[in-house]
Amino acid sequence: MINTSILSYNASNLPIPGIKRFNKINIINAVKMELTLTRPDDWHLHLRDGDLLAAVAPYSARHFGRAIVMPNLRPPVTTTAAAIAYRESIMEVLPADSDFNPLMTLYLTDTTSPNEIKLARKSEVVYAVKLYPAGATTNSQDGVTDLLGKCLPVLQEMAEQNMPLLVHGEVTDPDVDIFDREKVFIETVLRPLIQKLPQLKVVMEHITTADAVNFIESCNEGTVAATVTPQHIILNRNSLFQGGLQPHNYCLPVLKREIHRKTILSAVTSGSKQYFLGTDSAPHERQRKESSCGCAGIFNSPVALSLYAKIFEEAGALDKLEAFTSFNGPDFYGLPRNTSKIKLKKEPWKVPEHLSFPFGEIIPMSAGQTLDWKPSF
């Protein structure tokens, strides 16, 4: 819901010395816009562990009702028992009054068993299984090497249990250009997977290309969907290099050409039910981002809702924002929509240059910038 209030004054009533008579002109002094949304969920989130978990979890808990939490810890979360333990760790660091619900995932490996999928479904804690091709991104060294070979029995059990597969959609062949990894993955892995197991629910995470949009829209609604990050809608690959190397804009999948960004923007703001909010917020300590071998990941939890509102407003699609943030995700997962509300006010606010913690600093997305939409609690 969009609420707008306009404060106006009649110029003839303004007490301006020396002026006795005016035309009656309405002067708009202020326009206040406010969005009321069903509380959003984040369908792709990295919360890390240890001190980093304690630092970043409250940001997501403040804005989102639920989040699909990624399992690429060290060691990775490969069992239901480990997922339950990780969830308990998250709950321990949340504010006392928080009702945030972390939805856990398993890290798929070449040795994951079908029985583990059965345990996961019975747990009512694990909601999906994450595919990381080995070596594709942070802590993916234990990922899958042969999806349709070694993992086929597990995928079949997932289809039987209605357990979604969340896909980091990139090949890791060093002969494939990094900007083409998503396109090649679609053709060599994802399309054959859907053809072999059409009943398997699949979420292509953090899509970055027009190729991904075309693939998603060629698939059946309700079976194949995609999460989309704010960075991949707002930034293109020039953002990595303007004014020098920009490590805090470095993420995986890497940012792509402007033509891809525009295609994703159009798809997300179209009203299609196949796209929903997934921030891929992935915090790293500043020193690890600004090192000689900087880590991939953008910490956007503090600004994600503000940026999504900006995106939809500039596209003239604010009426479609709530479906993207709050409806499409739970509908795909077969979960109830949230009943609580959140407000976004059209009120400029400046993003901090950095966030300080006992262990160091984290640089948020849009650091130092002024954003127009501010979440209100």
Side-chain angles (χ1 to χ4, degrees):
M1 179 184 295
I2 305 173
N3 295 321
T4 304
S5 60
I6 300 177
L7 303 179
S8 62
Y9 301 90
N10 190 301
S12 62
N13 295 328
L14 296 177
I16 303 177
I19 304 293
K20 296 181 179 179
R21 191 169 176 273
F22 316 79
N23 293 325
K24 290 185 177 181
I25 304 172
N26 285 333
I27 298 177
I28 298 176
N29 187 60
V31 177
K32 295 184 177 180
M33 291 183 65
E34 184 179 89
L35 300 175
T36 300
L37 304 175
T38 299
R39 193 171 194 88
D41 299 306
D42 187 346
W43 298 99
H44 185 117
L45 176 66
H46 296 269
L47 286 176
R48 311 304 191 198
D49 55 5
D51 291 341
L52 202 50
L53 166 63
V56 303
Y59 288 94
S60 293
R62 187 176 304 125
H63 293 169
F64 300 101
R66 296 167 290 198
I68 285 283
V69 180
M70 295 295 106
N72 58 329
L73 305 182
R74 190 174 294 173
V77 180
T78 58
T79 67
T80 302
I84 292 171
Y86 184 27
R87 186 179 189 278
E88 290 173 353
S89 297
I90 296 169
M91 299 302 292
E92 288 174 359
V93 302
L94 295 178
D97 60 348
S98 175
D99 59 358
F100 178 71
N101 184 14
L103 311 178
M104 311 310 295
T105 60
L106 298 186
Y107 184 114
L108 185 64
T109 72
D110 288 343
T111 60
T112 301
S113 71
N115 187 58
E116 194 63 57
I117 303 304
K118 294 177 182 178
L119 292 174
R121 176 53 75 197
K122 290 178 181 177
S123 73
E124 297 185 353
V125 167
V126 177
Y127 287 83
V129 176
K130 182 62 185 282
L131 165 64
Y132 290 105
T137 188
T138 303
N139 295 343
S140 63
Q141 60 271 19
D142 297 307
V144 169
T145 63
D146 184 9
L147 181 66
L148 291 177
K150 296 177 180 179
C151 298
L152 186 57
V154 172
L155 297 172
Q156 291 170 330
E157 185 63 37
M158 289 173 59
E160 182 70 22
Q161 298 290 337
N162 198 31
M163 177 76 72
L165 176 69
L166 314 183
V167 174
H168 181 108
E170 294 188 289
V171 297
T172 57
D173 184 341
D175 291 333
V176 177
D177 189 287
I178 191 169
F179 294 103
D180 295 330
R181 288 181 176 182
E182 185 171 276
K183 177 181 179 180
V184 174
F185 181 89
I186 291 169
E187 294 306 318
T188 62
V189 180
L190 195 51
R191 194 179 300 279
L193 170 64
I194 300 301
Q195 290 171 348
K196 194 171 191 67
L197 289 173
Q199 70 275 34
L200 178 67
K201 277 195 166 186
V202 175
V203 180
M204 192 174 183
E205 303 280 17
H206 43 50
I207 61 169
T208 66
T209 62
D211 306 276
V213 169
N214 293 336
F215 173 76
I216 295 298
E217 295 180 358
S218 73
C219 297
N220 292 332
E221 183 181 302
T223 302
V224 179
T227 58
V228 190
T229 75
Q231 55 265 28
H232 289 113
I233 312 177
I234 291 176
L235 306 177
N236 63 32
R237 67 187 191 181
N238 288 342
S239 303
L240 290 167
F241 308 109
Q242 288 173 336
L245 189 63
Q246 301 296 323
H248 298 288
N249 288 338
Y250 172 50
C251 59
L252 289 173
V254 71
L255 300 171
K256 300 299 194 299
R257 290 180 181 271
E258 176 67 2
I259 190 172
H260 295 295
R261 186 197 70 81
K262 286 183 175 179
T263 301
I264 292 171
L265 169 64
S266 178
V268 166
T269 57
S270 70
S272 170
K273 296 180 180 180
Q274 288 182 277
Y275 305 97
F276 41 86
L277 186 158
T279 65
D280 192 23
S281 186
H284 291 285
E285 190 179 350
R286 181 175 189 165
Q287 288 184 340
R288 297 193 66 202
K289 290 288 291 178
E290 297 179 1
S291 71
S292 60
C293 186
C295 296
I298 294 176
F299 181 53
N300 61 34
S301 289
V303 299
L305 288 182
S306 299
L307 293 176
Y308 285 123
K310 166 187 169 70
I311 290 162
F312 277 75
E313 180 184 29
E314 291 179 351
L318 276 177
D319 59 316
K320 298 179 176 67
L321 176 63
E322 187 175 35
F324 174 78
T325 63
S326 313
F327 298 161
N328 297 347
D331 291 355
F332 182 87
Y333 276 83
L335 296 172
R337 298 173 179 179
N338 293 323
T339 56
S340 59
K341 303 291 183 180
I342 188 172
K343 291 184 179 181
L344 290 170
K345 293 183 178 180
K346 191 73 178 290
E347 179 181 316
W349 66 284
K350 188 174 181 179
V351 182
E353 296 280 356
H354 63 268
L355 302 170
S356 296
F357 304 97
F359 58 81
E361 295 179 352
I362 300 176
I363 307 299
M365 185 177 178
S366 304
Q369 298 180 23
T370 298
L371 301 181
D372 290 336
W373 289 96
K374 186 176 184 180
S376 175
F377 308 97

